[in-house]
Amino acid sequence: MNESITAIQQAIDGLDLDGIRALVMKCLEEGMSPEAIIQEGISKGLEAVGRKFEEGEYFLADLIMAGEVVKEAMPLLKERMNPGGSGKGAVILATVAGDIHEIGKNIVGMILSANGFEIIDLGVDVPAQKIMATAQATGARFIALSALLTTMVEGIREVVDSSKAAGIREQVKIVIGGACTSEDLCQEMGADAYGETAIDALKIFNSYSAAR
Ligand code: B12
């Protein structure tokens, strides 16, 4: 593992709000792509934070701080990714109702946008009705749902059910991801696909876009 990327993991794990920007700049100057910095540095650092929280070493305030450290890094990465919108289709992006985790969702949005998708980001804690109203108002047929809380996964089923109620289940593709999701959950909720990473999200939506 490259030393500079390990330093990013450690900065996130160590909640180093002041140091993160310089470390991200160093990786960029060394020629790493923003996508690699996100996957290898930021996501891995956050996994370590999550483990410490589970083990009782970190508390909620530390999770909030980890989120702030990541927010500090993101603009540097975002401005180096291509602007989106080259005709692959619009993706409605949301974290499910009751869940306010946004970092993974934002990464998915950045990667899809950098690769030609138009992103309609509805934010966090989004009720199914709002997602479906947006699909109907905009004609967007791709939906990306992020869920990190096991207790809130029913929000996925609600989106699937509301697409049925709206009569557009066959026209929309509902893709799920986020730490508490899985292939099995995808089947159980009746969604179309599960992706483990933001790069998987891109592969899945690319395949849907190509099949249109
Ligand atoms: C940071 C963090 C927070 C921050 C969020 C800050 C923010 N602005 O987003 C704050 C402090 C707000 C927070 C709050 C809480 N959190 Co929290 N949090 C985390 C932590 C440490 C990191 C999450 C994260 O950002 N990961 C990094 C991103 C990049 O990963 P990701 O979201 O999984 O996304 C990647 C992939 O999953 C994928 N992906 C994501 N979305 C999508 C969508 C699609 C379509 C696809 C294909 C792919 C995809 O792509 C991303 C990049 O590859 C995790 C630990 C962990 N290991 O996940 C706990 C964690 C998710 N939190 C947890 C808990 C319990 C909570 C609280 C309930 C704590 C409390 N007691 O209040 C609250 C819930 C508040 C709420 N109502 O939502 C638990 C959830 C347990 C569970 N399974 O239910 C975790 C797992 C910690 C733990 N180990 O216990 N949290």
Side-chain angles (χ1 to χ4, degrees), residues 141-159:
R141 290 297 173 253
F142 299 149
I143 299 173
L145 295 179
S146 194
L148 275 86
L149 294 179
T150 313
T151 46
M152 294 301 157
V153 294
E154 282 299 322
I156 298 171
R157 198 194 307 277
E158 284 164 18
V159 175

Side-chain angles (χ1 to χ4, degrees), residues 86-91 112 115-118 142 173 201-212:
S86 66
K88 285 195 189 168
V91 180
L112 291 176
N115 286 280
F117 289 91
E118 182 198 334
F142 299 149
K173 292 290 186 191
L202 177 61
K203 287 183 194 154
I204 295 165
F205 284 113
N206 269 342
S207 73
Y208 291 152
S209 178
R212 277 192 309 174

Side-chain angles (χ1 to χ4, degrees), residues 1-160:
M1 174 70 63
N2 164 316
E3 248 175 56
S4 307
I5 205 76
T6 309
I8 291 195
Q9 293 173 5
Q10 287 167 348
I12 296 193
D13 185 12
L15 312 176
D16 181 5
L17 191 61
D18 298 328
I20 188 73
R21 286 175 68 90
L23 294 169
V24 168
M25 284 309 295
K26 185 156 184 276
C27 282
L28 290 166
E29 279 157 16
E30 286 172 8
M32 286 192 75
S33 69
E35 287 88 347
I37 296 172
I38 289 169
Q39 288 289 130
E40 299 304 319
I42 292 180
S43 296
K44 299 248 161 75
L46 282 168
E47 279 169 26
V49 172
R51 278 195 298 275
K52 286 189 176 169
F53 180 68
E54 264 173 72
E55 288 158 8
E57 187 180 333
Y58 272 178
F59 299 100
L60 193 58
D62 301 307
L63 290 190
I64 294 170
M65 185 53 118
E68 293 305 311
V69 177
V70 175
K71 278 192 196 160
E72 193 69 18
M74 281 308 179
L76 291 174
L77 300 168
K78 194 171 184 182
E79 69 192 26
R80 283 165 181 80
M81 291 167 96
N82 298 324
S86 66
K88 285 195 189 168
V91 180
I92 299 173
L93 182 63
T95 301
V96 296
D99 188 336
I100 62 163
H101 293 86
E102 64 179 349
I103 299 169
K105 169 187 75 63
N106 292 347
I107 292 175
V108 169
M110 273 166 55
I111 295 211
L112 291 176
S113 165
N115 286 280
F117 289 91
E118 182 198 334
I119 301 300
I120 304 169
D121 187 348
L122 299 182
V124 296
D125 184 15
V126 185
Q129 298 81 337
K130 184 169 177 189
I131 294 171
M132 225 26 70
T134 307
Q136 289 182 303
T138 62
R141 290 297 173 253
F142 299 149
I143 299 173
L145 295 179
S146 194
L148 275 86
L149 294 179
T150 313
T151 46
M152 294 301 157
V153 294
E154 282 299 322
I156 298 171
R157 198 194 307 277
E158 284 164 18
V159 175
V160 173

